[in-house]
Amino acid sequence: MGHIHRVVAIDGPAASGKSSVARELARRLGFAYVNSGAIYRAITWDALQKGIDGRDTERIAQTAEAARISCRLQNNESHIVIDDVDPSEHLRDDRVNKNVSRVSSIPRVRKIVVQNMRQYARYNDLVVEGRDIGSVVFPKTPYKFYVDASPEVRLRRRAAEGQRDEIIMRDRADSSRPISPLIVAKDAQIIDTSHLTIEGVVNEIIARLRQIGLSI
Ligand code: DC
């Protein structure tokens, strides 16, 4: 096993501001930004694209295991290519939004994604966003944050993006699944982003990272 680099974990529910915060935080720290949800989305899109029913757990797991999933960094951000296709433009399609919670609850799918994320940490300092980063994927990192916002604010943010996304249903599914559910890791610091700007949240996280000894 190679040297494990520093990892800042950013977990939280849908539309909590995780992605914007994690990307900007990574830029400020000079770390790479890894979006784990995008990998679950890519696997979901690939299976649907191949004509597989979103409820067919067995075939989805088989397809994900057979696919060549290449996770690289591009401009210091995670980028996925799956069976030589770049799914970037499709990751927020309605049908992906609708099926991704179910696909991400399949243990064999989670195994693939977790392996890919740990691989990134062998070569880079990372800011990783997701649902189970501090609790399951990198439980030993001391740098864990749980970002949240009120449901009203989160719904407004998604609507402003012009997206049809049933975030309340997705959160319910993500929080209640038996493996690696969305939880607040016991040693995570909670930040409510409802009334903060992205820069405000990033400043707060950097201040707390310094307090807990990250040299930046
Ligand atoms: O962060 P996002 O909304 O793009 O994530 C899409 C879905 O992927 C989310 O509804 C649940 C799943 N996910 C997960 O199960 N674990 C993660 N670490 C990240 C995302």
Side-chain angles (χ1 to χ4, degrees):
M1 189 89 168
H3 178 68
I4 299 290
H5 286 70
R6 295 172 293 179
V7 173
V8 180
I10 310 278
D11 290 300
S16 55
K18 288 191 307 296
S19 298
S20 315
V21 164
R23 179 181 285 116
E24 176 62 11
L25 178 65
R27 197 186 65 76
R28 296 261 302 267
L29 298 176
F31 289 13
Y33 162 57
V34 175
N35 179 342
S36 64
I39 312 179
Y40 290 105
R41 287 172 179 276
I43 291 173
T44 303
W45 178 80
D46 177 65
L48 295 171
Q49 192 64 12
K50 288 171 177 163
I52 296 168
D53 187 305
R55 290 160 299 190
D56 192 340
T57 306
E58 180 58 31
R59 284 194 68 202
I60 291 172
Q62 273 171 11
T63 305
E65 283 166 352
R68 269 173 299 112
I69 300 173
S70 139
C71 291
R72 305 211 191 103
L73 289 176
Q74 200 171 333
N75 302 322
N76 235 19
E77 295 194 1
S78 57
H79 185 257
I80 301 124
V81 174
I82 184 159
D83 280 343
D84 299 320
V85 181
D86 179 349
S88 307
E89 281 179 21
H90 306 286
L91 299 183
R92 302 205 159 264
D93 288 359
D94 286 354
R95 60 182 188 151
V96 173
N97 284 340
K98 233 176 263 153
N99 287 281
V100 67
S101 281
R102 195 168 332 102
V103 171
S104 66
S105 71
I106 303 172
R108 284 156 68 191
V109 169
R110 299 204 73 79
K111 198 169 160 203
I112 295 169
V113 177
V114 170
Q115 277 168 357
N116 272 294
M117 281 187 289
R118 291 188 180 143
Q119 200 62 22
Y120 276 117
R122 293 181 65 172
Y123 306 106
N124 302 91
D125 288 327
L126 305 177
V127 175
V128 188
E129 64 144 301
R131 304 292 188 289
D132 62 338
I133 307 305
S135 57
V136 173
V137 187
F138 295 106
K140 290 194 178 138
T141 183
Y143 315 120
K144 296 181 190 180
F145 296 88
Y146 185 94
V147 297
D148 207 348
S150 68
E152 296 73 35
V153 168
R154 296 192 291 115
L155 282 167
R156 219 180 304 135
R157 286 179 183 160
R158 268 299 184 268
E161 291 169 356
Q163 274 203 64
R164 188 135 47 89
D165 187 2
E166 303 278 350
I167 59 172
I168 307 294
M169 269 165 47
R170 223 148 47 82
D171 289 343
R172 199 175 299 146
D174 297 343
S175 304
S176 62
R177 68 180 174 223
I179 56 157
S180 310
L182 171 65
I183 51 161
V184 184
K186 62 179 180 329
D187 49 346
Q189 307 207 28
I190 300 175
I191 299 184
D192 187 333
T193 71
S194 302
H195 306 291
L196 292 173
T197 60
I198 292 161
E199 207 199 346
V201 179
V202 171
N203 288 338
E204 179 65 30
I205 292 179
I206 288 178
R208 295 194 194 190
L209 284 171
R210 287 212 172 94
Q211 275 172 11
I212 50 180
L214 182 71
S215 53
I216 37 179

